[in-house]
Amino acid sequence: MADDDEPVQHCRLDTGVDIPNALEAAGIEYLDVDDTRTIVIYQSAILMVTATEGDASAAQAFDVALWEPPVEDADRDPVDLLTTFIDDIVATVNGSRR
């Protein structure tokens, strides 16, 4: 789980998404942790994606927490990074946010 200091964004989708398949389709590196959590390397940042409704293979909603900022751009706005990540995943699965 993310500490209180770590930026977190929530995403709710109209349909379930298979998070690992979406990450693969987007060419994003990841490591499954368990049925709900996935560690992601995105633009050299380390993120934790946690399914909050369903599991990682059929998530209706998920949280994304920034664990480590991007190596090449440590001063990048964390909210912008998380928003861009969510937008990329939603676009990859041709989904829409609720």
Side-chain angles (χ1 to χ4, degrees), residues 1-89:
M1 286 258 113
D3 293 337
D4 290 338
D5 295 341
E6 296 171 336
V8 177
Q9 282 199 18
H10 184 72
C11 178
R12 181 177 306 277
L13 301 166
D14 286 335
T15 59
V17 62
D18 184 323
I19 293 171
N21 282 346
L23 293 168
E24 281 186 32
I28 298 171
E29 293 182 63
Y30 70 94
L31 174 66
D32 292 323
V33 175
D34 58 28
D35 290 344
T36 59
R37 296 178 299 157
T38 306
I39 295 172
V40 175
I41 299 172
Y42 180 73
Q43 297 182 5
S44 79
I46 300 175
L47 312 177
M48 174 60 78
V49 178
T50 304
T52 56
E53 288 182 29
D55 61 22
S57 65
Q60 290 271 206
F62 60 89
D63 288 343
V64 181
L66 177 63
W67 273 14
E68 294 291 332
V71 175
E72 293 90 19
D73 192 7
D75 294 330
R76 182 173 178 185
D77 178 30
V79 172
D80 175 60
L81 177 70
L82 297 177
T83 300
T84 302
F85 171 77
I86 291 171
D87 290 346
D88 284 352
I89 294 302

